[in-house]
Amino acid sequence: GAVVSQHPSWVICKSGTSVKIECRSLDFQATTMFWYRQFPKQSLMLMATSNEGSKATYEQGVEKDKFLINHASLTLSTLTVTSAHPEDSSFYICSARDLRDSYEQYFGPGTRLTVT
Amino acid sequence: DAKTTQPPSMDCAEGRAANLPCNHSTISGNEYVYWYRQIHSQGPQYIIHGLKNNETNEMASLIITEDRKSSTLILPHATLRDTAVYYCIASSNDYKLSFGAGTTVTVRA
């Protein structure tokens, strides 16, 4: 099956700094990627939809200036958490749709962010 | 997308079939039923999806009632590695998947 990778798998940063998370589709092209956030013992919450070559679409309540998303190519989307605070500590997961298969989303392994 | 309702948890014995129910009584005609699972601290994994007909793949079978108001995911021979949270999602397209609380399935030896 198709593979989506994320880097880094975990990161610890200080409050006030910015952190960039990469999401790559390794063996397929993806026009659309999605970013989710998951707090402990909770379900995944969709943050934004990332479209290659255009601006991301954010879900209600998600600050677009705080969570910067860039989808510069068909295989890479990045999420930058700016001015991170401890409440941003979470598990961030991306997913991607294969252009050849319109029904299935492939998820990355997730990135554990801890802000101290 | 239609709301789905799943039991919060269930146990099953290793080697036996696991039947996971899902209610989606307000599902519309163009909404598919998707099943994903998430093993602890990993990204979700696609299992199966269907619209009207029952579906089967190498992982599971999906049985959708004739009125489409409910469905059952069947893991034919559960193993310890099937312990995970299973999510049933109704969506008109796969652009947005709204994850509910899911069912925590524990397979016991």
Side-chain angles (χ1 to χ4, degrees):
Chain A
V3 178
V4 174
S5 70
Q6 286 185 238
H7 178 80
S9 55
W10 60 270
V11 58
I12 301 173
C13 71
K14 292 186 176 180
S15 187
T17 62
S18 296
V19 174
K20 179 185 286 188
I21 302 170
E22 293 184 350
C23 175
R24 293 182 185 272
S25 55
L26 297 186
D27 51 1
F28 67 97
Q29 293 183 324
T31 55
T32 304
M33 291 184 173
F34 305 88
W35 287 96
Y36 295 82
R37 179 167 54 181
Q38 185 174 33
F39 292 108
K41 298 189 184 300
Q42 295 186 22
S43 190
L44 286 78
M45 295 296 296
L46 180 66
M47 299 175 66
T49 302
S50 168
N51 295 297
E52 186 265 338
S54 64
K55 290 184 178 181
T57 302
Y58 292 82
E59 295 300 299
Q60 190 173 10
V62 178
E63 300 174 56
K64 63 179 181 180
D65 295 330
K66 179 170 182 62
F67 299 98
L68 302 179
I69 292 173
N70 183 277
H71 192 160
S73 76
L74 286 173
T75 59
L76 173 65
S77 176
T78 60
L79 168 68
T80 301
V81 183
T82 63
S83 187
H85 289 101
E87 56 265 32
D88 298 323
S89 298
S90 187
F91 193 48
Y92 291 86
I93 306 169
C94 72
S95 69
R97 291 178 63 232
D98 188 336
L99 286 177
R100 302 164 298 178
D101 181 349
S102 63
Y103 294 106
E104 187 171 343
Q105 278 189 38
Y106 300 94
F107 285 81
T111 296
R112 176 76 57 192
L113 169 64
T114 302
V115 184
T116 61
Chain B
D1 294 340
K3 176 180 168 61
T4 60
T5 303
Q6 299 176 251
S9 65
M10 65 181 294
D11 287 1
C12 66
E14 188 179 21
R16 304 294 293 270
N19 298 312
L20 283 63
C22 178
N23 280 321
H24 30 79
S25 59
T26 61
I27 195 169
S28 61
N30 64 341
E31 287 184 311
Y32 287 78
V33 178
Y34 292 87
W35 283 84
Y36 283 79
R37 73 180 182 184
Q38 185 179 26
I39 296 170
H40 183 62
S41 294
Q42 296 183 24
Q45 176 189 23
Y46 167 84
I47 301 174
I48 200 167
H49 76 279
L51 183 63
K52 296 181 182 178
N53 300 323
N54 298 336
E55 302 288 344
T56 296
N57 62 22
E58 64 279 3
M59 289 184 68
S61 294
L62 174 60
I63 307 299
I64 303 175
T65 59
E66 193 168 340
D67 62 9
R68 302 210 325 123
K69 292 185 177 181
S70 66
S71 61
T72 301
L73 178 75
I74 302 173
L75 307 177
H77 304 286
T79 71
L80 298 178
R81 288 176 295 180
D82 291 322
T83 292
V85 179
Y86 287 75
Y87 298 99
C88 169
I89 301 167
S91 178
S92 58
N93 58 62
D94 66 342
Y95 281 79
K96 289 187 178 183
L97 297 177
S98 296
F99 287 81
T103 297
T104 299
V105 173
T106 303
V107 180
R108 303 192 184 279

